[in-house]
Amino acid sequence: MLRIYGVAGAESDELVQIAREARQKGWWHPYSTVLVGAYVGLEAAASSIRAYEQQVVPGLLETEEYASAMIRAARPDFTPEQVAQRVRVRLGRQSLLTQNDPVDLWVVLDETVVSRPVGGDTVMRGQLKRLLEVAELPNVTVQILPFEVGAHAGMDGTFSILSFPEPSDPDVVYAENATGGLFLEKSDELQKYSFIFDHIRAAAMRPEESIARIAKLAEEPLWKWRPRSSPWT
């Protein structure tokens, strides 16, 4: 374009540098609302997402009731209106899984995610059934990383790896933390997280075994036979 319009020299170099900087996605910001908004935009542009989750069901797979209960518990400072707004956004994002050109989603869930009754028995059973339904989609793979694995490669925390349809767009890692998260796109960072994800999914139960485990938990949840006041044995 610059050659066509006859732009050359220092002016051309400056415009090229601006274009390069505009494409960079890696940045840190302490405000969670900004980070969440940025993530949603990248998620919508992604062609595939690989994610590991330690504590909660990912937003793309949540039911409305689960999302509401989780947000209320995690953010007791939110007003009912703020909770409702967050829930609407999460439910709206889920169209990415069923649109004409759906995103490919591969999720590994720590068994903690499907064993903690967020929102109570009824809400959590509904969430487990939702996982079973979504896992039937051809573009969705769900694995469970069981307790018996013990220590594993993903113990440093939750993360998502987003890949994009354009070869010129580098993958982006979103690593969550208490203030929102961190976007990473340096080559060594991407290699590290891809390495970690490969080890996590290799250690996890196979997809068909994972679905069977979720179905069993929906019928015989751990929280029903482990009373709240009883210590772990």
Side-chain angles (χ1 to χ4, degrees), residues 112 115-116 147 222 225-233:
T112 300
S115 302
R116 176 177 289 115
F147 293 133
L222 292 179
W225 58 265
R226 183 180 291 129
R228 188 172 184 177
S229 59
S230 297
W232 286 79
T233 58

Side-chain angles (χ1 to χ4, degrees), residues 5-165:
Y5 286 101
V7 180
E11 186 177 6
S12 174
D13 294 340
E14 182 178 356
L15 290 172
V16 169
Q17 183 61 31
I18 290 172
R20 287 172 177 164
E21 291 176 355
R23 296 179 66 83
Q24 292 180 358
K25 304 184 188 76
W27 51 275
W28 164 259
H29 199 290
Y31 299 105
S32 61
T33 55
V34 175
L35 283 166
V36 168
Y39 178 80
V40 170
L42 291 173
E43 181 184 69
S47 57
S48 70
I49 301 172
R50 291 167 288 166
Y52 167 63
E53 179 56 64
Q54 287 183 324
Q55 297 294 335
V56 299
V57 173
L60 290 177
L61 306 179
E62 291 177 352
T63 65
E64 180 176 358
E65 295 78 12
Y66 179 98
S68 179
M70 191 278 292
I71 294 170
R72 289 199 311 269
R75 294 301 303 266
D77 55 317
F78 275 9
T79 65
E81 291 75 17
Q82 288 175 308
V83 172
Q85 183 182 34
R86 288 291 184 99
V87 172
R88 284 195 299 271
V89 170
R90 293 194 179 202
L91 297 181
R93 290 163 50 198
Q94 295 177 3
S95 64
L96 295 174
L97 298 177
T98 55
Q99 62 189 12
N100 290 335
D101 185 20
V103 66
D104 288 320
L105 179 65
W106 192 314
V107 175
V108 179
L109 304 175
D110 191 281
E111 192 168 3
T112 300
V113 175
V114 293
S115 302
R116 176 177 289 115
V118 173
D121 182 72
T122 300
V123 170
M124 193 61 196
R125 285 176 188 261
Q127 177 60 70
L128 294 178
K129 292 177 181 178
R130 169 65 176 165
L131 288 176
L132 296 175
E133 293 170 359
V134 178
E136 293 181 358
L137 295 174
N139 54 304
V140 176
T141 301
V142 177
Q143 289 183 272
I144 299 298
L145 188 65
F147 293 133
E148 54 263 32
V149 167
H152 56 81
M155 297 189 72
D156 280 345
T158 291
F159 63 89
S160 298
I161 306 172
L162 296 89
S163 301
F164 304 91

Side-chain angles (χ1 to χ4, degrees), residues 23-25 45 162-172 185 190:
R23 296 179 66 83
Q24 292 180 358
K25 304 184 188 76
L162 296 89
S163 301
F164 304 91
E166 292 295 329
S168 57
D169 286 340
D171 289 356
V172 174
E185 66 170 358
L190 295 174

